[in-house]
Amino acid sequence: MFTSAQFHFIFFALLAICTNTIAKEISLCEKLEQSIQGRKHGFLAGNLAYYVGGFHASWELMEDETIGLTHPFFHDLRSRGVGMLNSQLTGSEHTGVGNDYRGWEFYKDTRVLYGSVIIGSKVYRHPAPTRMNWRPDKMICEYEIEGVTIREQKCIGANDAAISIITSSAPVTLKFDGHSFYGRHSVTSTASAHYHTQTNSLLIREGGTVRSLPDPDRPERIGPCVYQGMTTALSSSKDFAETLILDRDDRGVWKYSFEIPCDAGGVTVSWSMHDDQNTANNKTREAIHQAPEIMSAKSENINNILGQQIPQFRCSDPKFEEIYYYLWSLHMMYYINVQKGWEMENHTQSAVNNFLGIHRYDACFQIKVGAWARDKPKFAYGNVLTWKHLVENGRYRETQDGHIFLSDNKGIGWHSGAYGGELAEHVLGAWQIYQHTGDREFVRKCYQGYFRKVFWKNLVGFAMNEAEAGKVLEEMAKISGNNTDVDHWKKLINQDPKHLRLMFDQRWEANGHQDYFMGGRDGMLMTTAFWAMRSQYFPRDYAKRMIHSWALNKEHGFFGEFFPLAMARKSMSLFNSADDQSFGYTPDTAYFTLDGIFRQGFPKIASELTLNHLENYNFHEEWGIPVAPEAYSRDLALFGDQYSNFNAGKILLFLEGLAGISYSIPDNIFHVKDSMPTHWDWMEFDIPIGNQDGWTQVRFERKKGFLGEKKKSITVANCPLRVQFEPWLDQGELSRDPKLNGATFTEQNATHADYLSFLADKKSAKASITLSFK
């Protein structure tokens, strides 16, 4: 006979086998496939290459995708926008080469391979797809024209070449046209173009000048474009020499077109860009010769990332599984590894349409998301350490009282010059990575020459996290061998509980705002008040009053058409600018607000508000697909970027909120404190911990018992750490003694009365409780 713990280990093992078997039949990329024609533009990502299919101004359709490759573009963060000018500022304010407040969306001015279909003597110019499906690995477009079905699959391969494999149910001719780079900010073009006979390639040497704004509050200047000296290489699996037309207009822009036949056997077209012409040409020819293999490898890679690199999640409501994996897919698609200048680490980014590059504020939660990936040196470390380059190169702003601020965005040799101070949250994120790895060398790199320098004279907190950041700096000093620094941090940052309570008391109901924290004199009430609840020192009685008075209030609080509004209804009539209207609901504010409610120990409210937000913000009910907009306007119109990694914080709401999972390899503890939604029957998470090849499996389950009782269990299997259970009592009362397999009852250690606490020393353990309800 098996013990209960052994049985559950076997159950999870069989479940994993079944899950993997199903995954082979229906991959995660296939599960994430969604119909987007007329709804969203296409989006694909490589490492330094991206693809936008068609064009939407925010969420308004301006240009349909069409056959071929409309907007592939190269972006290695050499520029913030369209220009490559040197800053004219001096000292640390010098923003380097490539900062540009213009042309962030320069991709929409590219025109690469726009396809038309010729059937007989009739030309169907740039047809819109009848159907267009997006997946994180590729796009699939279908066109129905005069009884002919044309199907194409597009992807960006591992060599950063974009390819489109096109088949037709009947023989047709495809005509492609495009031009060298020239956009709305362009002044001149110095491009050249020629056909390379040996490789059947069109090679365009890009160049010209653009209007650029490298320095704020300075006049615009004219300088080199972002593609100066680069080569665009275009090729096809069918020879197009005889049909190629090359023409240079009076601006110096090279326009081109060519025709190729297409039938059921298919044809492939490709694009690549590089500073070296031969490299660009070799990449695009490799894409032509190995197109099916490249596309298959891309799918395998993305499926591996989503199936092996990130925590797995399943629950009794599949809609939320779709949201979870969709948000993870975007976060992982945005990773970039440049290996030049100030871009020497692999890191994620925020958005394709105007905010490529990592952002200091967004990194507050993106760092923590990376901490949950399996390969943390690849997917976590860089989100922290990439910022160190600005400090090492003296590119920061320091105030007279010793505050150091970094720019909000950076690249190979530029930084934005828009300074801010959320870095204390980066400290906490870096510490979470350490908890998940035990990597002392990573801590040393974070502390020496970076955190130590930034905070030595003064620590600028983020949402009242100074005390937590100060404590982490003490621990980092010890780990990195700087023990004499500990007393310095203790003196710099007052961590006395009485002092901290006074800080919160002084800001409570400030400026006459009842049951509200840190309200401003101008009457602007934002969700930032809730962010402070993420501090362990925030008084729970204040949190309870603020949640009931403001979070749940639909008349003057933050509960709008869903939760949360970025600004309280009470303030809306006072603040009604275009930006206020556009950013009515935002993903970052939702994460920080909900995270605070979870941390304060209000599981029912936090879980219900989280599901309310996710199903209204990140799932389009009419379309039946997950979405990740930059914002919703106050009138619920979709706004901003369509594939925004600004939503990454919501991933943490699943892992750290609903599941309540945290763990520390140095402390040898795996902690589970759930807030499973009351109407869910079960949920499961598979967590990659340390160097284990497999998963630590966590299952939460509810079942009906006798006479209205409810049975709830949490099972942890294959965990390399000691397990602490803190099951939520679901607002019920314990009606029977807990059933424990491999765990010990330690109720006195529970966070508060809504939870119990158990501690296990085995790799597989289970805690079961029976609850009654009045």
PDB file of all heavy atoms in Angstrom, residues 433-455:
ATOM      1  N   ILE A 433      15.471  37.217  -6.809  1.00  0.00           N
ATOM      2  CA  ILE A 433      16.271  36.337  -7.670  1.00  0.00           C
ATOM      3  C   ILE A 433      17.277  35.558  -6.831  1.00  0.00           C
ATOM      4  O   ILE A 433      17.471  34.351  -7.027  1.00  0.00           O
ATOM      5  CB  ILE A 433      16.988  37.159  -8.759  1.00  0.00           C
ATOM      6  CG1 ILE A 433      15.964  37.772  -9.731  1.00  0.00           C
ATOM      7  CG2 ILE A 433      17.981  36.289  -9.524  1.00  0.00           C
ATOM      8  CD1 ILE A 433      16.561  38.746 -10.722  1.00  0.00           C
ATOM      9  N   TYR A 434      17.890  36.227  -5.872  1.00  0.00           N
ATOM     10  CA  TYR A 434      18.828  35.532  -4.989  1.00  0.00           C
ATOM     11  C   TYR A 434      18.116  34.452  -4.180  1.00  0.00           C
ATOM     12  O   TYR A 434      18.635  33.327  -4.025  1.00  0.00           O
ATOM     13  CB  TYR A 434      19.513  36.526  -4.049  1.00  0.00           C
ATOM     14  CG  TYR A 434      20.312  35.842  -2.953  1.00  0.00           C
ATOM     15  CD1 TYR A 434      21.468  35.117  -3.269  1.00  0.00           C
ATOM     16  CD2 TYR A 434      19.902  35.903  -1.632  1.00  0.00           C
ATOM     17  CE1 TYR A 434      22.191  34.462  -2.273  1.00  0.00           C
ATOM     18  CE2 TYR A 434      20.614  35.254  -0.627  1.00  0.00           C
ATOM     19  CZ  TYR A 434      21.749  34.531  -0.953  1.00  0.00           C
ATOM     20  OH  TYR A 434      22.458  33.885   0.026  1.00  0.00           O
ATOM     21  N   GLN A 435      16.933  34.764  -3.656  1.00  0.00           N
ATOM     22  CA  GLN A 435      16.170  33.761  -2.909  1.00  0.00           C
ATOM     23  C   GLN A 435      15.870  32.545  -3.770  1.00  0.00           C
ATOM     24  O   GLN A 435      15.820  31.409  -3.292  1.00  0.00           O
ATOM     25  CB  GLN A 435      14.870  34.368  -2.383  1.00  0.00           C
ATOM     26  CG  GLN A 435      15.053  35.465  -1.359  1.00  0.00           C
ATOM     27  CD  GLN A 435      15.798  35.002  -0.125  1.00  0.00           C
ATOM     28  OE1 GLN A 435      15.485  33.972   0.452  1.00  0.00           O
ATOM     29  NE2 GLN A 435      16.823  35.758   0.271  1.00  0.00           N
ATOM     30  N   HIS A 436      15.663  32.761  -5.063  1.00  0.00           N
ATOM     31  CA  HIS A 436      15.309  31.675  -5.969  1.00  0.00           C
ATOM     32  C   HIS A 436      16.530  30.952  -6.544  1.00  0.00           C
ATOM     33  O   HIS A 436      16.370  29.984  -7.284  1.00  0.00           O
ATOM     34  CB  HIS A 436      14.457  32.211  -7.114  1.00  0.00           C
ATOM     35  CG  HIS A 436      13.063  32.562  -6.709  1.00  0.00           C
ATOM     36  ND1 HIS A 436      12.049  32.817  -7.616  1.00  0.00           N
ATOM     37  CD2 HIS A 436      12.484  32.704  -5.480  1.00  0.00           C
ATOM     38  CE1 HIS A 436      10.934  33.107  -6.974  1.00  0.00           C
ATOM     39  NE2 HIS A 436      11.182  33.051  -5.673  1.00  0.00           N
ATOM     40  N   THR A 437      17.731  31.445  -6.233  1.00  0.00           N
ATOM     41  CA  THR A 437      18.937  30.822  -6.795  1.00  0.00           C
ATOM     42  C   THR A 437      19.999  30.520  -5.744  1.00  0.00           C
ATOM     43  O   THR A 437      20.751  29.547  -5.887  1.00  0.00           O
ATOM     44  CB  THR A 437      19.588  31.734  -7.850  1.00  0.00           C
ATOM     45  OG1 THR A 437      19.963  32.984  -7.234  1.00  0.00           O
ATOM     46  CG2 THR A 437      18.639  31.994  -9.017  1.00  0.00           C
ATOM     47  N   GLY A 438      20.129  31.364  -4.750  1.00  0.00           N
ATOM     48  CA  GLY A 438      21.251  31.261  -3.816  1.00  0.00           C
ATOM     49  C   GLY A 438      22.561  31.687  -4.448  1.00  0.00           C
ATOM     50  O   GLY A 438      23.642  31.388  -3.921  1.00  0.00           O
ATOM     51  N   ASP A 439      22.507  32.431  -5.549  1.00  0.00           N
ATOM     52  CA  ASP A 439      23.700  32.822  -6.299  1.00  0.00           C
ATOM     53  C   ASP A 439      24.331  34.058  -5.667  1.00  0.00           C
ATOM     54  O   ASP A 439      23.915  35.189  -5.902  1.00  0.00           O
ATOM     55  CB  ASP A 439      23.330  33.095  -7.755  1.00  0.00           C
ATOM     56  CG  ASP A 439      24.545  33.287  -8.650  1.00  0.00           C
ATOM     57  OD1 ASP A 439      25.640  33.581  -8.132  1.00  0.00           O
ATOM     58  OD2 ASP A 439      24.400  33.150  -9.876  1.00  0.00           O
ATOM     59  N   ARG A 440      25.364  33.856  -4.883  1.00  0.00           N
ATOM     60  CA  ARG A 440      26.026  34.939  -4.180  1.00  0.00           C
ATOM     61  C   ARG A 440      26.821  35.834  -5.135  1.00  0.00           C
ATOM     62  O   ARG A 440      26.983  37.025  -4.891  1.00  0.00           O
ATOM     63  CB  ARG A 440      26.936  34.356  -3.095  1.00  0.00           C
ATOM     64  CG  ARG A 440      26.175  33.519  -2.076  1.00  0.00           C
ATOM     65  CD  ARG A 440      27.106  32.768  -1.142  1.00  0.00           C
ATOM     66  NE  ARG A 440      27.760  33.654  -0.199  1.00  0.00           N
ATOM     67  CZ  ARG A 440      27.264  33.988   0.984  1.00  0.00           C
ATOM     68  NH1 ARG A 440      26.081  33.523   1.373  1.00  0.00           N
ATOM     69  NH2 ARG A 440      27.932  34.788   1.792  1.00  0.00           N
ATOM     70  N   GLU A 441      27.312  35.261  -6.241  1.00  0.00           N
ATOM     71  CA  GLU A 441      28.048  36.055  -7.218  1.00  0.00           C
ATOM     72  C   GLU A 441      27.121  37.066  -7.889  1.00  0.00           C
ATOM     73  O   GLU A 441      27.516  38.196  -8.174  1.00  0.00           O
ATOM     74  CB  GLU A 441      28.695  35.149  -8.265  1.00  0.00           C
ATOM     75  CG  GLU A 441      29.447  35.884  -9.371  1.00  0.00           C
ATOM     76  CD  GLU A 441      30.625  36.707  -8.857  1.00  0.00           C
ATOM     77  OE1 GLU A 441      31.085  36.496  -7.705  1.00  0.00           O
ATOM     78  OE2 GLU A 441      31.096  37.583  -9.609  1.00  0.00           O
ATOM     79  N   PHE A 442      25.876  36.660  -8.145  1.00  0.00           N
ATOM     80  CA  PHE A 442      24.896  37.595  -8.689  1.00  0.00           C
ATOM     81  C   PHE A 442      24.677  38.759  -7.722  1.00  0.00           C
ATOM     82  O   PHE A 442      24.631  39.930  -8.135  1.00  0.00           O
ATOM     83  CB  PHE A 442      23.575  36.873  -8.965  1.00  0.00           C
ATOM     84  CG  PHE A 442      22.417  37.790  -9.237  1.00  0.00           C
ATOM     85  CD1 PHE A 442      22.336  38.493 -10.432  1.00  0.00           C
ATOM     86  CD2 PHE A 442      21.410  37.966  -8.291  1.00  0.00           C
ATOM     87  CE1 PHE A 442      21.266  39.361 -10.681  1.00  0.00           C
ATOM     88  CE2 PHE A 442      20.338  38.824  -8.535  1.00  0.00           C
ATOM     89  CZ  PHE A 442      20.279  39.517  -9.732  1.00  0.00           C
ATOM     90  N   VAL A 443      24.560  38.461  -6.446  1.00  0.00           N
ATOM     91  CA  VAL A 443      24.382  39.519  -5.443  1.00  0.00           C
ATOM     92  C   VAL A 443      25.584  40.455  -5.447  1.00  0.00           C
ATOM     93  O   VAL A 443      25.442  41.682  -5.374  1.00  0.00           O
ATOM     94  CB  VAL A 443      24.173  38.906  -4.041  1.00  0.00           C
ATOM     95  CG1 VAL A 443      24.211  39.996  -2.967  1.00  0.00           C
ATOM     96  CG2 VAL A 443      22.844  38.162  -3.987  1.00  0.00           C
ATOM     97  N   ARG A 444      26.775  39.889  -5.529  1.00  0.00           N
ATOM     98  CA  ARG A 444      27.977  40.723  -5.538  1.00  0.00           C
ATOM     99  C   ARG A 444      27.961  41.692  -6.723  1.00  0.00           C
ATOM    100  O   ARG A 444      28.292  42.876  -6.570  1.00  0.00           O
ATOM    101  CB  ARG A 444      29.228  39.837  -5.606  1.00  0.00           C
ATOM    102  CG  ARG A 444      30.537  40.610  -5.468  1.00  0.00           C
ATOM    103  CD  ARG A 444      31.743  39.755  -5.796  1.00  0.00           C
ATOM    104  NE  ARG A 444      31.743  39.361  -7.204  1.00  0.00           N
ATOM    105  CZ  ARG A 444      32.103  40.178  -8.198  1.00  0.00           C
ATOM    106  NH1 ARG A 444      32.484  41.422  -7.956  1.00  0.00           N
ATOM    107  NH2 ARG A 444      32.083  39.753  -9.448  1.00  0.00           N
ATOM    108  N   LYS A 445      27.569  41.199  -7.904  1.00  0.00           N
ATOM    109  CA  LYS A 445      27.519  42.062  -9.081  1.00  0.00           C
ATOM    110  C   LYS A 445      26.471  43.163  -8.913  1.00  0.00           C
ATOM    111  O   LYS A 445      26.671  44.288  -9.383  1.00  0.00           O
ATOM    112  CB  LYS A 445      27.208  41.225 -10.322  1.00  0.00           C
ATOM    113  CG  LYS A 445      28.344  40.328 -10.768  1.00  0.00           C
ATOM    114  CD  LYS A 445      27.962  39.510 -11.994  1.00  0.00           C
ATOM    115  CE  LYS A 445      29.105  38.630 -12.441  1.00  0.00           C
ATOM    116  NZ  LYS A 445      28.728  37.795 -13.625  1.00  0.00           N
ATOM    117  N   CYS A 446      25.369  42.843  -8.283  1.00  0.00           N
ATOM    118  CA  CYS A 446      24.328  43.853  -8.057  1.00  0.00           C
ATOM    119  C   CYS A 446      24.795  44.915  -7.059  1.00  0.00           C
ATOM    120  O   CYS A 446      24.533  46.114  -7.247  1.00  0.00           O
ATOM    121  CB  CYS A 446      23.052  43.201  -7.526  1.00  0.00           C
ATOM    122  SG  CYS A 446      22.179  42.160  -8.710  1.00  0.00           S
ATOM    123  N   TYR A 447      25.482  44.469  -6.022  1.00  0.00           N
ATOM    124  CA  TYR A 447      25.823  45.378  -4.927  1.00  0.00           C
ATOM    125  C   TYR A 447      27.026  46.249  -5.251  1.00  0.00           C
ATOM    126  O   TYR A 447      26.961  47.480  -5.170  1.00  0.00           O
ATOM    127  CB  TYR A 447      26.076  44.560  -3.663  1.00  0.00           C
ATOM    128  CG  TYR A 447      26.352  45.410  -2.445  1.00  0.00           C
ATOM    129  CD1 TYR A 447      25.307  46.043  -1.766  1.00  0.00           C
ATOM    130  CD2 TYR A 447      27.650  45.589  -1.959  1.00  0.00           C
ATOM    131  CE1 TYR A 447      25.549  46.834  -0.648  1.00  0.00           C
ATOM    132  CE2 TYR A 447      27.906  46.361  -0.846  1.00  0.00           C
ATOM    133  CZ  TYR A 447      26.855  46.994  -0.199  1.00  0.00           C
ATOM    134  OH  TYR A 447      27.092  47.787   0.901  1.00  0.00           O
ATOM    135  N   GLN A 448      28.114  45.631  -5.641  1.00  0.00           N
ATOM    136  CA  GLN A 448      29.355  46.374  -5.857  1.00  0.00           C
ATOM    137  C   GLN A 448      29.292  47.146  -7.172  1.00  0.00           C
ATOM    138  O   GLN A 448      29.054  46.579  -8.235  1.00  0.00           O
ATOM    139  CB  GLN A 448      30.546  45.418  -5.840  1.00  0.00           C
ATOM    140  CG  GLN A 448      30.762  44.775  -4.488  1.00  0.00           C
ATOM    141  CD  GLN A 448      31.971  43.870  -4.425  1.00  0.00           C
ATOM    142  OE1 GLN A 448      32.239  43.280  -3.385  1.00  0.00           O
ATOM    143  NE2 GLN A 448      32.702  43.738  -5.514  1.00  0.00           N
ATOM    144  N   GLY A 449      29.509  48.422  -7.087  1.00  0.00           N
ATOM    145  CA  GLY A 449      29.511  49.270  -8.269  1.00  0.00           C
ATOM    146  C   GLY A 449      28.137  49.638  -8.772  1.00  0.00           C
ATOM    147  O   GLY A 449      28.010  50.366  -9.764  1.00  0.00           O
ATOM    148  N   TYR A 450      27.083  49.157  -8.100  1.00  0.00           N
ATOM    149  CA  TYR A 450      25.728  49.495  -8.549  1.00  0.00           C
ATOM    150  C   TYR A 450      24.872  49.936  -7.364  1.00  0.00           C
ATOM    151  O   TYR A 450      24.820  51.115  -7.035  1.00  0.00           O
ATOM    152  CB  TYR A 450      25.118  48.315  -9.297  1.00  0.00           C
ATOM    153  CG  TYR A 450      23.727  48.583  -9.863  1.00  0.00           C
ATOM    154  CD1 TYR A 450      23.286  49.878 -10.118  1.00  0.00           C
ATOM    155  CD2 TYR A 450      22.853  47.542 -10.122  1.00  0.00           C
ATOM    156  CE1 TYR A 450      22.023  50.128 -10.616  1.00  0.00           C
ATOM    157  CE2 TYR A 450      21.578  47.766 -10.633  1.00  0.00           C
ATOM    158  CZ  TYR A 450      21.165  49.067 -10.870  1.00  0.00           C
ATOM    159  OH  TYR A 450      19.902  49.305 -11.359  1.00  0.00           O
ATOM    160  N   PHE A 451      24.215  49.012  -6.673  1.00  0.00           N
ATOM    161  CA  PHE A 451      23.330  49.407  -5.578  1.00  0.00           C
ATOM    162  C   PHE A 451      24.076  50.184  -4.506  1.00  0.00           C
ATOM    163  O   PHE A 451      23.563  51.152  -3.934  1.00  0.00           O
ATOM    164  CB  PHE A 451      22.656  48.182  -4.960  1.00  0.00           C
ATOM    165  CG  PHE A 451      21.637  47.508  -5.851  1.00  0.00           C
ATOM    166  CD1 PHE A 451      21.320  46.180  -5.673  1.00  0.00           C
ATOM    167  CD2 PHE A 451      20.987  48.211  -6.859  1.00  0.00           C
ATOM    168  CE1 PHE A 451      20.382  45.550  -6.478  1.00  0.00           C
ATOM    169  CE2 PHE A 451      20.046  47.598  -7.672  1.00  0.00           C
ATOM    170  CZ  PHE A 451      19.748  46.259  -7.481  1.00  0.00           C
ATOM    171  N   ARG A 452      25.289  49.759  -4.211  1.00  0.00           N
ATOM    172  CA  ARG A 452      26.073  50.452  -3.183  1.00  0.00           C
ATOM    173  C   ARG A 452      26.306  51.902  -3.584  1.00  0.00           C
ATOM    174  O   ARG A 452      26.196  52.817  -2.757  1.00  0.00           O
ATOM    175  CB  ARG A 452      27.404  49.736  -2.972  1.00  0.00           C
ATOM    176  CG  ARG A 452      28.237  50.273  -1.805  1.00  0.00           C
ATOM    177  CD  ARG A 452      29.535  49.470  -1.683  1.00  0.00           C
ATOM    178  NE  ARG A 452      30.265  49.819  -0.475  1.00  0.00           N
ATOM    179  CZ  ARG A 452      31.128  50.812  -0.388  1.00  0.00           C
ATOM    180  NH1 ARG A 452      31.370  51.566  -1.452  1.00  0.00           N
ATOM    181  NH2 ARG A 452      31.760  51.057   0.750  1.00  0.00           N
ATOM    182  N   LYS A 453      26.640  52.130  -4.850  1.00  0.00           N
ATOM    183  CA  LYS A 453      26.882  53.474  -5.349  1.00  0.00           C
ATOM    184  C   LYS A 453      25.601  54.302  -5.358  1.00  0.00           C
ATOM    185  O   LYS A 453      25.584  55.463  -4.920  1.00  0.00           O
ATOM    186  CB  LYS A 453      27.462  53.389  -6.767  1.00  0.00           C
ATOM    187  CG  LYS A 453      27.522  54.701  -7.528  1.00  0.00           C
ATOM    188  CD  LYS A 453      28.564  55.634  -6.972  1.00  0.00           C
ATOM    189  CE  LYS A 453      28.687  56.881  -7.833  1.00  0.00           C
ATOM    190  NZ  LYS A 453      29.677  57.834  -7.285  1.00  0.00           N
ATOM    191  N   VAL A 454      24.521  53.724  -5.853  1.00  0.00           N
ATOM    192  CA  VAL A 454      23.278  54.471  -6.033  1.00  0.00           C
ATOM    193  C   VAL A 454      22.692  54.939  -4.701  1.00  0.00           C
ATOM    194  O   VAL A 454      22.212  56.071  -4.577  1.00  0.00           O
ATOM    195  CB  VAL A 454      22.250  53.612  -6.795  1.00  0.00           C
ATOM    196  CG1 VAL A 454      20.857  54.244  -6.741  1.00  0.00           C
ATOM    197  CG2 VAL A 454      22.685  53.431  -8.245  1.00  0.00           C
ATOM    198  N   PHE A 455      22.759  54.093  -3.676  1.00  0.00           N
ATOM    199  CA  PHE A 455      22.040  54.388  -2.431  1.00  0.00           C
ATOM    200  C   PHE A 455      22.944  54.824  -1.286  1.00  0.00           C
ATOM    201  O   PHE A 455      22.446  55.065  -0.191  1.00  0.00           O
ATOM    202  CB  PHE A 455      21.236  53.156  -2.001  1.00  0.00           C
ATOM    203  CG  PHE A 455      20.198  52.733  -2.994  1.00  0.00           C
ATOM    204  CD1 PHE A 455      20.342  51.550  -3.710  1.00  0.00           C
ATOM    205  CD2 PHE A 455      19.087  53.526  -3.237  1.00  0.00           C
ATOM    206  CE1 PHE A 455      19.396  51.155  -4.625  1.00  0.00           C
ATOM    207  CE2 PHE A 455      18.130  53.141  -4.164  1.00  0.00           C
ATOM    208  CZ  PHE A 455      18.274  51.955  -4.868  1.00  0.00           C
TER     209      PHE A 455
END
